[in-house]
Amino acid sequence: MKSNYYLALIACLIISCNTINSSPKKNSQTKEIENLYFSKIDFKKNKPTSDNYSNSFTLNKDEFLNIHFTLDKPLIESLKLLAPNLTQDQLLNKGNFQFSFLVDGEIIYVENLNKGAGTIDSKTTQLKHMIPLVYPKQIDFWGWFMWLKFMKLGGGQDVLAEGNHSLSIEVRPYIKEETLKVGTILAKGNITVEVAKILVDETLIPVQKIQPNSGWELSKDNFNSPKIEALNRKIAEKRFENINGVVVIKENKLLIEEYFNGENRNSLHDSRSVGKSLASTMLGIAIEENHIKSENTLLKDFYELKSFNNYSKKKDSITLKSLLTMSSGFLGDDSDYSSPGNEENMYPTNNWVKFSLNLPMQKDKTIGKDFTYFTAGVVILGDVIHKSVPEGLVSYADKKLFAPLDITNYKWQYTPQKVGNTAGGIQLRAIDFAKYGQLYKNKGKWNGKQIITEKWVEKSLSKQVSQAYAGIEGGYYGYLFWNKTYTVNGKNHQVSFCSGRGGNKIFIFKDIPFVVVITSSAYNNPSAHSNADKMMIEYILPAIIEKE
């Protein structure tokens, strides 16, 4: 369910995500220093020497790229100059190297390495540094992730799309206290980059014809085919990696259905946390059928909380609603790998519910108000539903949700207690994920039958909790649904959506008549979610809104 690489990936992302606004200013020293070199050898098989240095690199062809630089003094000495009042431990906690990537003289991406990047020795004693950037497969090294972020998140692959370019890398020290302090250049070098054309199978580019027996009425509306073909080309070029399916529903009719990378209509897709939203659906149905009183029911009505570890009076105030809105106050944060309740700590245990209920509470969090992404809380919800409805969660979901939607081809994953895994363990076909999204677009109605109450749909898709506490500017969360706004050609389009690792999405638009599904298996790719956004903003939405 999780990759071992994800720990390293998150560590690299923590600080760098907000550093582009702190781009270094050019100074006279920029021209004087030239002590960073590039090589194109496999560092795992050969020890690089100065004889291996290269002044050119062919992007999309050369498999390896490393950088080498030697400092006059260890990094820690440069950090002391920036903050002489701090101890060594404080310096290493608040500072590291800053890397700036310049293409043709323009700063494209800046990353302030987080404290976990690099060993203590590499910062306190090491002078010679060798950092792999490009490698033909994923490696557990912060330099590899940094290059990936430069290319995928920082705009590198957009400016290095074709032709020949100059790539420069500058290395500085930085300290981040209340403000960001950046020192002078420690190392700088450049290399000529030639962009090799990516050869693609041209048969993958045209819009795919919708095959019969989809289970949907086909839309007769037009859309901007060249836009979709441009998207298909980017997918074929792996500009958008590991995309498996794109389905667009317009006014209850199938408009676009496309599959990539070996998947087809009958492929069951692992959408990861998209499955969390189904816990919200089933809770709403269980409440409507009086198996559970309401979402305001207290957690203590289902469990003897005093029998679990770390009991406090605060736990008695946890509601099902606070679990739905990721605001329960448990000491669990999936974005923080040091958090006791991080989901990675839950999966190896033999009882996920017990693990979750044993967690202490966060004293500084207000139940029902402060958002923290907490997968273990959704596992608790699944268990609550399972023990409250006839024949358990899986049987209940089949009868009350999947059967009415005529979804027969699906697969659950299970918790150690053999309960359907609401953390994100259900696989459906992309076209059936579209049915689920359209059900919400229809305000809970399918083929004239009210499957979910309109009131529950409204609550689920609304802005229940601000995500400002979690550092997500302008973000809101509903009942296990996200909310955001896409801007296309100056017009804002509000959307509620399900979201899962790897870039999996079900978009339910509020002001335009569309449901869009993207299935993807880019599970360890830091650009997976941003790729989905880029696909929507630059290709899919313009194609279906503007038409031809």
Side-chain angles (χ1 to χ4, degrees):
M1 200 173 300
K2 297 287 180 182
S3 167
N4 292 333
Y5 290 111
Y6 191 64
L7 287 168
L9 174 57
I10 288 296
C12 289
L13 283 168
I14 291 174
I15 290 182
S16 66
C17 61
N18 62 357
T19 60
I20 193 65
N21 293 327
S22 303
S23 299
K25 295 180 179 179
K26 295 181 180 180
N27 54 45
S28 58
Q29 187 190 19
T30 300
K31 297 180 180 179
E32 298 171 2
I33 291 182
E34 198 73 32
N35 60 344
L36 183 149
Y37 305 97
F38 296 80
S39 70
K40 300 190 293 183
I41 67 169
D42 184 349
F43 74 97
K44 290 187 176 183
K45 295 182 178 180
N46 302 284
K47 185 177 180 180
T49 68
S50 58
D51 293 335
N52 303 126
Y53 294 162
S54 177
N55 58 12
S56 65
F57 174 73
T58 304
L59 185 65
N60 304 321
K61 181 179 179 181
D62 290 336
E63 293 187 304
F64 307 98
L65 183 65
N66 317 294
I67 57 174
H68 313 258
F69 58 90
T70 302
L71 303 178
D72 295 329
K73 55 190 176 183
L75 171 65
I76 191 69
E77 300 301 323
S78 296
L79 297 179
K80 287 178 182 178
L81 295 177
L82 293 176
N85 58 313
L86 298 183
T87 67
Q88 178 167 301
D89 286 345
Q90 289 172 327
L91 290 168
L92 295 177
N93 190 56
K94 297 176 181 291
N96 206 328
F97 286 116
Q98 179 189 84
F99 283 80
S100 301
F101 290 77
L102 298 84
V103 176
D104 300 328
E106 296 295 325
I107 295 173
I108 302 301
Y109 179 70
V110 178
E111 172 156 341
N112 294 337
L113 295 181
N114 90 306
K115 63 181 180 181
T119 64
I120 292 177
D121 285 346
S122 72
K123 303 169 195 175
T124 57
T125 64
Q126 186 173 327
L127 296 178
K128 291 186 176 181
H129 294 264
M130 192 287 297
I131 301 161
L133 299 179
V134 178
Y135 204 79
K137 61 183 179 180
Q138 183 167 310
I139 54 175
D140 191 4
F141 198 100
W142 58 262
W144 186 90
F145 287 107
M146 180 173 67
W147 177 268
L148 194 65
K149 287 181 285 179
F150 156 60
M151 290 295 289
K152 302 292 186 180
L153 298 177
Q157 62 186 356
D158 293 323
V159 294
L160 296 174
E162 59 183 4
N164 296 330
H165 303 271
S166 172
L167 170 66
S168 299
I169 294 179
E170 299 174 352
V171 185
R172 295 173 172 83
Y174 85 91
I175 287 286
K176 178 66 181 295
E177 295 183 276
E178 292 183 1
T179 59
L180 179 67
K181 298 178 182 178
V182 181
T184 56
I185 292 177
L186 303 177
K188 177 181 181 292
N190 66 80
I191 190 170
T192 298
V193 176
E194 178 185 357
V195 182
K197 185 177 181 180
I198 301 174
L199 299 178
V200 301
D201 182 350
E202 291 296 325
T203 64
L204 302 176
I205 308 308
V207 174
Q208 297 173 25
K209 183 179 179 181
I210 296 176
Q211 299 302 308
N213 304 315
S214 66
W216 291 86
E217 182 179 349
L218 299 188
S219 174
K220 296 181 181 178
D221 282 0
N222 294 323
F223 57 90
N224 189 326
S225 297
K227 278 285 185 185
I228 298 300
E229 290 179 348
L231 172 62
N232 290 352
R233 183 171 294 279
K234 294 296 184 182
I235 293 172
E237 293 174 348
K238 300 190 184 303
R239 168 61 178 84
F240 300 122
E241 296 170 299
N242 302 114
I243 302 301
N244 301 120
V246 174
V247 176
V248 178
I249 308 299
K250 181 178 182 181
E251 296 173 336
N252 274 296
K253 298 177 182 179
L254 181 56
L255 181 67
I256 296 171
E257 183 188 17
E258 304 220 322
Y259 299 100
F260 312 93
N261 294 313
E263 289 205 0
N264 55 53
R265 178 184 288 168
N266 292 321
S267 299
L268 290 179
H269 188 81
D270 183 358
S271 63
R272 303 295 172 96
S273 288
V274 164
K276 283 183 170 70
S277 300
L278 270 72
S280 172
T281 305
M282 299 321 302
L283 182 62
I285 295 174
I287 290 172
E288 175 63 17
E289 296 191 341
N290 295 315
H291 298 302
I292 296 172
K293 185 177 179 180
S294 78
E295 70 266 38
N296 295 312
T297 303
L298 296 169
L299 188 60
K300 69 177 183 178
D301 292 343
F302 300 93
Y303 303 97
E304 180 53 56
L305 297 179
K306 293 181 180 180
S307 68
F308 293 90
N309 297 342
N310 296 303
Y311 171 77
S312 67
K313 191 67 177 175
K314 189 175 183 180
K315 279 190 179 181
D316 290 338
S317 300
I318 297 173
T319 62
L320 300 185
K321 180 177 179 179
S322 70
L323 294 169
L324 282 169
T325 56
M326 301 274 187
S327 60
S328 62
F330 275 112
L331 187 58
D333 184 350
D334 291 342
S335 66
D336 179 3
Y337 279 86
S338 66
S339 173
N342 183 284
E343 62 181 318
E344 289 294 345
N345 297 326
M346 175 184 71
Y347 294 127
T349 68
N350 60 12
N351 190 319
W352 296 356
V353 174
K354 183 179 179 181
F355 166 88
S356 306
L357 296 177
N358 275 339
L359 292 169
M361 299 295 288
Q362 295 197 59
K363 295 179 180 179
D364 63 337
K365 292 288 186 77
T366 301
I367 295 173
K369 180 181 178 182
D370 294 328
F371 175 91
T372 304
Y373 195 76
F374 179 52
T375 291
V378 190
V379 171
I380 297 173
L381 273 178
D383 192 64
V384 166
I385 300 167
H386 179 75
K387 63 172 57 180
S388 302
V389 300
E391 301 182 45
L393 171 63
V394 171
S395 175
Y396 192 67
D398 184 71
K399 293 176 182 177
K400 301 297 180 178
L401 178 65
F402 296 135
L405 295 180
D406 195 26
I407 296 175
T408 58
N409 189 9
Y410 63 91
K411 182 180 180 181
W412 280 93
Q413 295 175 12
Y414 292 85
T415 73
Q417 277 58 55
K418 308 302 180 184
V419 176
N421 178 14
T422 48
I426 189 165
Q427 300 176 30
L428 277 74
R429 303 184 306 164
I431 204 163
D432 289 334
F433 280 122
K435 286 184 178 181
Y436 179 72
Q438 188 63 46
L439 174 65
Y440 276 81
K441 181 69 172 173
N442 294 345
K443 299 181 178 180
K445 189 175 290 189
W446 190 261
N447 288 337
K449 182 180 179 181
Q450 199 74 41
I451 309 300
I452 320 167
T453 67
E454 186 171 338
K455 185 176 182 180
W456 186 260
V457 170
E458 182 181 349
K459 289 179 179 179
S460 299
L461 303 187
S462 65
K463 299 176 180 179
Q464 294 281 351
V465 174
S466 171
Q467 294 171 324
Y469 192 95
I472 303 175
E473 185 178 350
Y476 291 90
Y477 202 68
Y479 285 179
L480 299 177
F481 283 84
W482 304 80
N483 286 279
K484 73 190 310 177
T485 300
Y486 280 126
T487 302
V488 178
N489 293 332
K491 291 184 179 181
N492 293 333
H493 301 289
Q494 291 189 43
V495 63
S496 299
F497 62 102
C498 316
S499 182
R501 183 185 301 278
N504 291 287
K505 308 287 180 181
I506 304 175
F507 293 107
I508 306 151
F509 284 90
K510 297 186 178 182
D511 60 331
I512 50 178
F514 299 105
V515 169
V516 178
V517 172
I518 297 174
T519 57
S520 173
S521 54
Y523 300 121
N524 301 315
N525 191 326
S527 62
H529 293 301
S530 62
N531 276 347
D533 286 337
K534 196 174 184 70
M535 288 169 60
M536 291 296 293
I537 293 170
E538 297 186 7
Y539 298 95
I540 297 174
L541 284 176
I544 60 181
I545 293 173
E546 299 169 3
K547 301 184 181 181
E548 288 185 300

